[in-house]
Amino acid sequence: MSSWAQTLSRLDAFSKVDSTHQARTSSGGFLSVVVLFVMAFMVTSELRDFLQYQQTHEFAVDADVQQALQVNFAMTVAMPCPLMRVDVLDASGNRQNLDDGITMQAVSRRRAFTKLSGSHSAGLNGVADMHVHDIFAEAGRLRRVPGVREKGLAKPSSLASIGDLDDAACHIEGSVMVNKVAGLFHITAHGHAYGGAYVPSRMMNFTHHIDELSFGPLYPSLDNPLDNTLHVSDDHVSAFRYFISIVPTTYIDASARHLSTNQYAVNEYYKPHSDLSDLGGKPPGIFLEYSFESVAVTVREHRGSIVAFAVRLCAAISGLFVTVGIAHSLFACFANAVSGRRARVSQGILDSKHATTVHIPATVVER
């Protein structure tokens, strides 16, 4: 052996035990089987954690200076279309009447709300718990065709084809640009709050189903807090108020793709009125009051490092071997101590350590 080899052998921290001095026991074999099963479980668990996406949330002051924002909505109101108007009023004093820029189509109230009766109330709805890659997949889907996008809503028809005015409802849908300031999107009856032919209270019914309400680019497949929610009015004269807080959100997936949208939280307030005098000067209708938070959220999705995965796996396996080896050694020492004590207790007076040898002289008697 060369001098270099001898020097390296003296530095060997992994000394070997000759096979002739190794003893195999049944307890060691049992622990080896247990270690194999535990090791397989740990490897599977670490691999599953490595393959799963991880999400981090970053918060910063919203630095976007855009002045306009797109509002997307689709809902069905249990009133004939000619009796309603849709307006937006913002904090800058700008007011828009949206009757000419959106789609208002007559539907059968009975057929529409019968199909929508399985929808849940707003209090039970929430933002879907989706991973970033799922959000990108849903956002990439094409816009659904009418009748499918409305999630079971009856196909719109003309008011003349409905026949019975009491069975008339209105499906309102569109995307409009509004100023990026706090505002009020509202649906009211003609003659209440604005001019126009006066609509009697007995003809008003603001029961409505919200198919979609989102802010920013339209992604029909993404769920929002008010999507697919049914809101029922108990009186002809009533007001639904929604207080919406909008948070600009950017999603970044593992491939560094960006998706900019807006999340929102909403609180609902509903108050029925027996007659117009209970309104206190406020008109009946559906009011969506929205405001913008000054904080923007960035959600990043990523996978763990392969180096970190290898380090965790090696640490887990080596730690398992060391821990089981120490436990086995302690158990063996304890077992040897107990067995030695039992052997000492069981020894009698003829024990080799305490036995007394009696010498009898040999006497020969001759007769």
Side-chain angles (χ1 to χ4, degrees):
M1 182 181 297
S2 64
S3 60
W4 282 104
Q6 292 178 356
T7 303
L8 290 176
S9 64
R10 286 195 295 268
L11 297 175
D12 185 7
F14 305 96
S15 57
K16 313 299 186 295
V17 179
D18 191 88
S19 59
T20 58
H21 297 87
Q22 296 178 355
R24 300 183 183 275
T25 61
S26 58
S27 60
F30 173 76
L31 286 179
S32 298
V33 174
V34 172
V35 166
L36 288 176
F37 280 103
V38 175
M39 187 188 307
F41 171 77
M42 295 177 68
V43 171
T44 304
S45 177
E46 289 290 341
L47 183 61
R48 184 179 65 251
D49 292 341
F50 171 71
L51 295 178
Q52 287 181 345
Y53 289 98
Q54 301 177 9
Q55 293 185 175
T56 58
H57 294 73
E58 302 174 4
F59 302 89
V61 176
D62 185 16
D64 190 2
V65 295
Q66 66 178 7
Q67 297 182 352
L69 179 71
Q70 180 174 310
V71 179
N72 314 293
F73 56 91
M75 67 176 67
T76 303
V77 184
M79 285 177 60
C81 294
L83 305 184
M84 295 184 298
R85 60 178 294 157
V86 183
D87 299 89
V88 174
L89 177 65
D90 60 39
S92 65
N94 183 46
R95 183 176 66 84
Q96 302 180 56
N97 179 257
L98 306 180
D99 291 352
D100 297 331
I102 60 176
T103 301
M104 301 179 66
Q105 294 180 300
V107 296
S108 170
R109 183 188 307 178
R110 182 179 62 256
R111 287 181 296 175
F113 283 92
T114 298
K115 291 188 177 184
L116 296 173
S117 60
S119 302
H120 48 270
S121 64
L124 300 178
N125 197 19
V127 178
D129 185 15
M130 301 174 66
H131 294 285
V132 174
H133 60 276
D134 296 326
I135 294 176
F136 272 86
E138 290 296 321
R141 293 173 56 183
L142 296 177
R143 183 182 177 90
R144 302 171 185 169
V145 297
V148 177
R149 181 178 177 275
E150 279 80 22
K151 303 169 184 172
L153 181 65
K155 189 175 182 180
S157 56
S158 64
L159 185 61
S161 63
I162 296 174
D164 186 4
L165 188 62
D166 293 333
D167 188 40
C170 186
H171 178 70
I172 307 170
E173 180 177 351
S175 295
V176 297
M177 299 300 296
V178 299
N179 295 329
K180 194 179 176 181
V181 294
L184 175 64
F185 177 95
H186 51 288
I187 301 174
T188 56
H190 283 291
H192 299 267
Y194 298 102
Y198 183 81
V199 177
S201 59
R202 60 180 178 81
M203 300 184 66
M204 291 189 293
N205 185 353
F206 286 103
T207 295
H208 59 284
H209 180 275
I210 300 177
D211 304 311
E212 180 172 337
L213 179 66
S214 61
F215 300 86
L218 175 60
Y219 302 112
S221 299
L222 293 181
D223 288 331
N224 297 283
L226 285 175
D227 289 359
N228 194 30
T229 56
L230 179 63
H231 313 260
V232 180
S233 173
D234 299 326
D235 294 278
H236 289 288
V237 181
S238 58
F240 291 88
R241 304 185 74 90
Y242 302 93
F243 302 92
I244 301 172
S245 297
I246 303 172
V247 180
T249 305
T250 301
Y251 296 98
I252 305 176
D253 68 357
S255 302
R257 295 181 300 171
H258 288 65
L259 177 67
S260 297
T261 181
N262 294 275
Q263 298 184 87
Y264 64 85
V266 59
N267 291 317
E268 178 186 358
Y269 174 76
Y270 165 71
K271 184 178 180 180
H273 306 280
S274 58
D275 54 55
L276 291 176
S277 61
D278 293 338
L279 289 171
K282 297 181 179 179
I286 303 169
F287 302 88
L288 296 99
E289 301 184 26
Y290 56 88
S291 60
F292 297 88
E293 298 294 335
S294 58
V295 176
V297 179
T298 301
V299 183
R300 297 180 184 271
E301 182 181 66
H302 59 89
R303 278 198 173 120
S305 169
I306 185 67
V307 176
F309 167 70
V311 171
R312 288 199 310 269
L313 193 60
C314 293
I317 294 176
S318 60
L320 177 64
F321 272 104
V322 171
T323 303
V324 173
I326 294 174
H328 183 254
S329 299
L330 293 176
F331 177 77
C333 293
F334 177 76
N336 292 335
V338 172
S339 61
R341 181 180 178 183
R342 289 179 179 176
R344 287 194 298 270
V345 171
S346 64
Q347 291 173 350
I349 62 171
L350 296 180
D351 184 82
S352 60
K353 294 182 179 179
H354 304 282
T356 302
T357 304
V358 180
H359 297 277
I360 301 176
T363 303
V364 180
V365 180
E366 295 182 356
R367 291 182 184 272

